[in-house]
Amino acid sequence: MATTPNIDNKRYRSLIVSIALFLSLIGALLAFTFYTSSLLERNTVLIDQTNQVANSAQAVIKDLFDLDSSYGEDTSSPHIQRVLERLEQNTTLITGSISAIEKGGKITDIAGNSYNLPKINNKSQTQIAAANEQWKALEPKIQAYLKDADNIMIDSSDELTQAVEQAKTSSLLINDSLDQLTDEVFINAERQATTIRLVQILGVAAIFAYFLIFVFFFVRRLRDTDAEALAARRETQEIMETVNTGLFLLDKDLNIGQQHSRALNGIIGADRLSGENFADVLRGRISDKDLKTTRQFIEQLYNPRVKEKLVDSLNPLHKVMLHNTSGEDSATSRFLDFKFSRVYEDKDIARILVNVNDVSDAVYLEQRLEKERSQNDMQIEMLTTILNVNPKIINEFISNTKTHIDKMNNILKNPGSSQFELEGKLKAIYREMHSLKGEASALKLHSFTKIASDAEDKLDALQNQGKLSGNNFLPLAVHLDDLLSLSNTIETLGERINQAAPKAASIAKSVAPMTTASVAETLKTSTPQPIVTNHASVDSAINSMSINGDNEIDLSDESDDEQLSYYQDFAQDIAVRQGKQIQLNGHNLAHVNIPAHLKQPIKEISIQLLRNAVVHGIESPEARQSAGKSVVGSIDLKMQRDSQNLIIALQDDGQGIDYEGIRHKLVADGRFEQDAASQLTQGDLLKTLFASGFSTKEHADEDGGRGVGLDVIKALVKEYNGKLNVNSELGQMTRFVITLPAA
C-alpha cells in the first residue's frame, strides 16, 4: 500500500542540523581537552626526564669519585663490579635522554615504558645544548676509563683521574642547564594549563547558550507540530470508528499499533488490542503450527526482495478459525480472513496494514456445499463401480463386507479383559479390517478404503501404545457403522439399476443406456441405513491394496486370460507406486475346480502373496541392474488341485529372504537383545516374519510395512487346516507353497 511522500525529514531537517552542530561543539571541546591533556602529559614527562638526567649526572659523579677513592681494589670484587655497571648504565641513559630531549623524540625509561617528548622552544634548546656540550666533554673520558676498567693487566688510573677532573668541572654546568630547562618547561606547562581552562570555560558557556536558544526555538516548533498531529489523529479516529472491518498496523516485532478500528475488538473478541503483541493475541486461538507460520509469513512481508503478491498466496490466516479463549461456548468461535498489505515510507517497508473480516457465514456455507459435494462424489464413485463391474462381484463384495463387519462386531462383543485377550482381539480385528480394505481397493471404492485406512491408523496407534483397555476399542464402532452404511448405499444403488435394466438383456447392455438424469435420480432416491454398533475398536495398521475391479473374481467362471489380467493389473498398480517393474506369469488359473468355501480365502491369499512379492521380494530396477538381473522382475503364480488338496504356489526372482536383515531388525525394534537374536535359527526368524506387527520394511506406506499381510496368510491357512511352506535363496528367489484341504 503506497503512501504520500513523508515530509518529516524536511520538517525536522533544521532540528537534525542543530543537534549535529551542538554535538560538534561538544566534540570539538572534548577533542581540544584531550589534545591539551596529552600536551600537558608530555610536558610532565619532559620535566621528569630532565630531573632524571640531572639525577643520573649526580650518580655518575658519585660513582667516579667512589672508583677513584677505591682504586687499587680488586676489580672483580662485587663492589667494583656493581659501581662499574651502574656507571655504564647511567652514562648510556644520559646520552640517550639528552638526545631525545633535544630532538623531541621517543624515550624509554629503565622500567621499559616508552614516552613521546614534546619539542622544546629556542630558549630551552640553548639550555639543553649547553648541557649536551658539557656532557660531550665528560662522556668520552668516562668511556675511555670504562674500556679497560675491569682489566687488571692494564693501568686505567690516568683515564679515571681525567674523568674525575672533568666531572668536577662539567657536573655543575650540566645541573645548572638542566635546572633552567626544567623551570622553562614548567612555566610553559602552567601557561598552557591557563589557556586550556580559559578555552574550556568559553566553550562551555557557548554550548550552554546554544542549548538555551535551541530549546526555546524548537519548543515552539514542537508545539505547532503537536497541534497538527492532534488534528490528524482526530481525523484518523473518526475514520477508525466508522469502518466496519478490522484495521490495524503491525511492526516488525508483531506489535499492534496504537490506532485501530473500533470494529476490530468485536471481530477479534478482545477488549484491549492497542500495543499488544499480535502473536500473544492469537496464541491459544489458532494452532501452534499456524502461529509459527504466521510469524514467518510476516517476516517475509518485511523482506523487500520477496514480492508481495507471491507471498500473499502463502497467507496462513486466510479464512482461519479463531477459537473462543474461554472454551465455554464453541459456537462463539469464528472464521476470520486476515489480509496483509505493505505500508511504504519512500522505498522502505515501514509497517504492515492488516484488514480483518468475519467470514464465518461464508465458510459455513462452503462447508455445507463441500459436504454435499463429497456425498455426491461418493455416490457417483459407487455408481461408476456398479456400472463397470459385474453385478456378481458387487454382490460378493457387499456380502463379504457385511461378513467382515459381523466378525469384527463379534470379536468386540467377546468378553476379555486381560492384556493377552485384548491383544488377540486387536490382531483379529486388524486382519479383518485389512481384508475388507483390500477388497474395497480392488473395486477402487476409495470411500471404503479411506474409512478402513483411518481405522487402521487407530489400530496401529493402539498396537504401539503398550497397555490396552476395553475403552480403547470404542472408536472403532463409528468406522464399522460408516462401512456398513456405505455397503447399504451401494447395494441400494445396484438394486435400482438392476430394476431399471431390461430383464432379458445382458448386464453390459442393461447399464449402457443409463443417462445422466437416471443416474442423478438413482443417487437422489438411494437411502442407506446405518448400522448400530456398541463396542470397542482395534489397533494396528495395514497396507491398502489396489486391484483392478474391471474383472470378475470368481475364478471358476472366467477364462485363463481374464484371471491373469486381473492379478496382473493388481500387481502392476502396486509396482507403479513402489517404483518397480514386474512381469506376472499365471499358470492354470482358470482350469482349477475351486470349492465354494475356498474361493474367498484363495483370493485373499493370492492377493497377499502378490503384494508381498512386489513390495518385499522384487528389487528396484537400479538394484536389479547392479546385481546383473533384468530390470523387470518376474513373478510366477500357479494353482493346481489333486484328489485331496488345492495348491497355490507363488515364486519371484527377487532378493530372497535376508535372515540377517530380519535379525538386525528384531534388535533395532527392541524385540530381542543382541545376544538372544544371535541364537535364533532360520526357522525362528521365519516365524517372526509371519508375526503380527513385524515388517522388514523401514517405513510403512499404502502397500506394506505394518506387518499384517503375512499374518493374514498364516491365519487363513490355519483356519482352513492348511500347510505353508517357504523356500528362499538370498539374492535369487522366494517361493511360497500353500496347501489347503479341498474337502
Side-chain angles (χ1 to χ4, degrees), residues 579-582 618-626 628-634:
K580 298 178 180 180
Q581 300 180 29
I582 61 103
I618 302 300
E619 310 95 320
S620 66
E622 296 80 8
R624 293 182 63 85
Q625 193 171 24
S626 299
K629 299 181 180 180
S630 169
V631 295
V632 180
S634 177

Side-chain angles (χ1 to χ4, degrees), residues 83-130:
V83 174
L84 290 175
E85 183 180 356
R86 186 169 59 241
L87 178 61
E88 185 174 2
Q89 289 179 350
N90 286 328
T91 301
T92 303
L93 187 145
I94 293 172
T95 302
S97 297
I98 290 177
S99 177
I101 293 171
E102 189 173 18
K103 297 179 180 179
K106 181 179 290 186
I107 189 169
T108 304
D109 59 13
I110 298 177
N113 300 318
S114 298
Y115 301 98
N116 290 318
L117 299 178
K119 291 184 178 181
I120 56 179
N121 56 28
N122 293 334
K123 187 175 181 180
S124 298
Q125 284 283 358
T126 302
Q127 293 162 352
I128 193 63

Side-chain angles (χ1 to χ4, degrees), residues 1 54 71 88 129 306 427 457 491 537 555 585 590 668 680 711 722:
M1 177 179 175
Y71 189 79
E88 185 174 2
V306 178
K427 294 176 182 178
D457 290 339
E491 183 178 21
S537 142
L555 303 180
N585 304 307
L680 296 176
D711 182 42

